[in-house]
Amino acid sequence: MDSTEQRPRAIARAASGLLATGLAVAVGHAVAGVVTPGSSPFLAVADSVVDRAPAAVREVTIDALGTADKPALMIGLAAILLVTGVVVGLVERPRRPAGSAVLVVFGLVGMVAALARPSAGPLWAVPTLLGVVAAVVALRALIGALFPAEAGTRSATATASDSGPAPTPPPAPTPQPGGPPGDRPAPDRRRFLVLAGSAVAVIAAAGTTGIALTRRAADAVAERTGLRLPRVLARNAAAPVPPGVTPDAPGVTPFLTDNAEFYRIDTALRVPSLSTTEWRLRIHGMVEREIELDWQTLVEREAQDRIITMTCVSNEVGGDLVGTSTWTGFPIADLLAEAGPLPDADMLLSTSVDGWTAGTPLEALTDGRDALLAVGMNGEPLPFEHGYPVRQIVPGLYGYVSATKWVVDWEVTRFDQASAYWTDRGWAERGPIRTASRIDRPAPLAELPPGPTVVAGTAWAQRRGIDRVEVRVDDGPWQDARLAEEYSVDTWRMWSWVWDAEPGLHTLHVRATDSTGEVQPEERRDPVPSGATGWHNRTFRVATA
Ligand SMILES: Nc1nc2c(c(=O)[nH]1)N[C@H]1C(S)=C(S)[C@@H](COP(=O)(O)O)O[C@H]1N2
Ligand SMILES: [Mo]
């Protein structure tokens, strides 16, 4: 039995691989719980399998397994991980980190899956990255304890005695499966057991933390999936969108922005998981009556659909922090009226469940515009990133002074008594949206054939509306672009212009005029403190005929 005393048993090596793989999953899951639950490598891979499975396969599995298809998928993935863990442990050697390489490859798969999720950002790579780092460190340490001579972790009693080619100095024994054990040192059992015990402890701690942190989010996801938006009566529907709101040319920006394409701006490192059952809105401060709304008392009111273009104050000239959506919600003016703001109040300080605040002029919320406490976006419950379950939408004001997502508190107050998140950081107290225009096609640096080319884009001046868009080639005269139909003064207005492109390098400029007759100023100013100004331009090379 000498040989089994001396050589690390396969079971110990397999256990090392399993522990390392377990660490990758547990640490990844726990970090994801902190960053954002969907970024858990395990969940991300499961979700992408579900998304990518051909519809037929999906239906067959759902038929065969009923509603258990998701658990079945999880069990399948867990089985793959178990087998992988065993293999990882069996192939790893101190001098030949093949098992570590397998872990890295699996990590890459997890990372790609996480980054490819619809709402992913760069942070979504972090959980997998940390999980794999933890796994490789643990695997190297465990296997090092099992092969102390190779790992060079022991004194040199046996390092020089092995035969065979020794590619790198100092010479060390080369493992020879099936060959005689030789006199390599025994596995360092104590060290191995201590390491394995620590790994088990970390897996247990990280696993339970990860599950606890992601469960809330998973519950909210399940709730959102099953949620029905309040019904909108015909009299509260949005005016239909006529086809004329977009120019009749391929590749133009759509009038309505898909939820997945809609820009996202917030300070939340972790998207809040707030359920409708937890949600409350307290209305207090300078009011006649304090009110507390919950989901039920909110949605029993008459809901409206409104199409509104939102814009971020940080949008650079030509930038894409702007989008148009059909919002389902409840008039903020009515809710405020129930509380009865006192006559000298002039600000609504709204607070998000994550502590972010916005200060909105009460006037903008009560002057008859479609300021909404919104629960739906393009016919769906709000996506989590866009404020599930409840947010504000106020036409004509930049998001930082109006569009509080995950909103839970309204304090009626005064501008001389309160300030909000971005105004505390130097941005303007009031944030009316500036007139802006943008060239969207052709794409930047496009190579164009000479002759007629459709140039197209969008322009916005919420609350005022766009009356004119002009285009200029190089230093030529300003020429009127063709305006698409206006949907409302609160939405962007598309434009197009047919350019008889001549060979050479050309720069196109665009500028808009709002309905008050004010032309966009040429002067370039930064977004800080109250929104960028200046004319957008694009340069194209037109080929010779
Ligand atoms: N809770 C919270 N709400 C917020 C923000 C935020 O950081 N936190 N950012 C605001 C800003 S600056 C903008 S432009 C809009 C963007 O909304 P969107 O991400 O749904 O496009 O949300 C606003 N609401
Ligand atoms: Mo913003």
Side-chain angles (χ1 to χ4, degrees):
M1 289 327 275
D2 224 339
S3 66
T4 47
E5 292 277 330
Q6 291 292 309
R7 300 189 61 230
R9 296 188 191 189
I11 193 159
R13 289 149 58 205
S16 305
L18 282 172
L19 287 171
T21 310
L23 266 175
V25 174
V27 169
H29 209 62
V31 177
V34 179
V35 176
T36 176
S39 64
S40 160
F42 190 71
L43 297 181
V45 169
D47 288 340
S48 353
V49 171
V50 171
D51 287 359
R52 276 180 198 31
V57 173
R58 223 178 314 172
E59 263 150 43
V60 169
T61 50
I62 289 172
D63 274 357
L65 303 166
T67 50
D69 66 321
K70 195 97 189 210
L73 172 67
M74 297 297 197
I75 291 167
L77 285 179
I80 292 175
L81 285 173
L82 281 179
V83 173
T84 308
V86 170
V87 172
V88 159
L90 292 180
V91 301
E92 180 82 0
R93 287 290 188 283
R95 293 280 173 98
R96 193 194 67 205
S100 300
V102 173
L103 286 173
V104 169
V105 170
F106 264 67
L108 284 176
V109 171
M111 213 139 81
V112 168
L115 289 174
R117 299 310 300 153
S119 47
L123 269 181
W124 284 48
V126 173
T128 318
L129 204 67
L130 294 184
V132 169
V133 168
V136 169
V137 167
L139 182 66
R140 304 295 298 151
L142 287 161
I143 293 295
L146 293 177
F147 297 91
E150 274 185 65
T153 52
R154 265 284 202 80
S155 56
T157 44
T159 41
S161 58
D162 201 19
S163 56
T168 47
T174 310
Q176 310 218 318
D183 59 347
R184 44 173 83 77
D188 189 339
R189 282 222 181 123
R190 248 185 71 84
R191 199 175 137 76
F192 178 81
L193 288 177
V194 168
L195 285 168
S198 322
V200 169
V202 173
I203 291 173
T208 42
T209 318
I211 288 168
L213 286 175
T214 49
R215 177 173 307 135
R216 260 177 68 90
D219 289 350
V221 169
E223 179 198 82
R224 180 180 176 277
T225 309
L227 190 75
R228 287 234 251 116
L229 283 182
R231 205 158 55 88
V232 174
L233 301 173
R235 65 164 175 271
N236 296 323
V241 180
V245 296
T246 36
D248 187 14
V252 299
T253 302
F255 178 71
L256 287 171
T257 314
D258 284 345
N259 290 356
E261 301 294 319
F262 208 95
Y263 80 94
R264 173 186 166 200
I265 294 286
D266 54 60
T267 57
L269 255 190
R270 176 166 194 264
V271 175
S273 303
L274 180 63
S275 71
T276 58
T277 44
E278 296 165 305
W279 180 82
R280 298 282 184 283
L281 178 67
R282 194 161 84 88
I283 311 178
H284 61 106
M286 299 172 67
V287 292
E288 278 157 20
R289 297 163 289 278
E290 280 199 14
I291 296 182
E292 191 172 87
L293 290 171
D294 61 19
W295 179 260
Q296 280 315 319
T297 53
L298 175 67
V299 298
E300 72 196 10
R301 281 150 226 264
E302 264 189 43
Q304 304 187 337
D305 275 346
R306 291 292 181 267
I307 297 180
I308 297 161
T309 298
M310 273 188 54
T311 316
C312 182
V313 69
S314 312
N315 198 40
E316 304 278 352
V317 170
D320 59 4
L321 302 181
V322 54
T324 303
S325 179
T326 305
W327 305 96
T328 305
F330 305 89
I332 289 178
D334 295 353
L335 298 168
L336 280 175
E338 290 176 32
L342 301 181
D344 47 350
D346 63 3
M347 181 218 254
L348 177 66
L349 183 69
S350 53
T351 307
S352 158
V353 73
D354 69 356
W356 187 88
T357 51
T360 314
L362 272 184
E363 208 207 331
L365 301 172
T366 52
D367 65 2
R369 73 182 79 181
D370 292 321
L372 294 181
L373 192 60
V375 296
M377 183 173 183
N378 288 325
E380 276 181 39
L382 293 172
F384 288 98
E385 298 77 17
H386 295 290
Y388 185 86
V390 182
R391 76 170 307 171
Q392 297 167 205
I393 296 290
V394 184
L397 298 183
Y398 287 123
Y400 80 104
V401 292
S402 69
T404 308
K405 306 192 265 191
W406 318 291
V407 62
V408 293
D409 190 276
W410 277 1
E411 181 186 350
V412 177
T413 178
R414 297 180 48 85
F415 275 94
D416 59 15
Q417 282 169 25
S419 59
Y421 188 92
W422 285 116
T423 52
D424 286 341
R425 289 160 178 79
W427 295 78
E429 211 170 55
R430 316 267 165 157
I433 296 174
R434 293 183 189 276
T435 303
S437 55
R438 192 179 77 187
I439 303 169
D440 290 344
R441 66 155 276 167
L445 303 174
E447 283 266 342
L448 307 175
T453 300
V454 179
V455 179
T458 180
W460 60 86
Q462 287 94 316
R463 290 276 78 207
R464 302 177 298 283
I466 294 290
D467 262 14
R468 184 178 198 184
V469 170
E470 296 161 285
V471 184
R472 192 179 73 186
V473 180
D474 303 324
D475 293 325
W478 285 103
Q479 307 185 53
D480 276 313
R482 194 170 164 276
L483 286 175
E485 208 171 311
E486 177 174 75
Y487 178 82
S488 87
V489 293
D490 291 333
T491 57
W492 55 15
R493 189 164 187 186
M494 307 311 188
W495 57 267
S496 61
W497 182 68
V498 180
W499 175 32
D500 196 8
E502 284 177 15
L505 196 64
H506 298 291
T507 299
L508 264 59
H509 277 86
V510 64
R511 71 177 187 194
T513 304
D514 71 14
S515 70
T516 71
E518 199 174 305
V519 183
Q520 254 185 279
E522 176 175 15
E523 189 201 345
R524 281 266 179 167
R525 272 193 276 154
D526 277 351
V528 194
S530 55
T533 67
W535 299 333
H536 185 216
N537 68 70
R538 258 188 199 176
T539 298
F540 307 98
R541 180 174 299 283
V542 180
T544 39

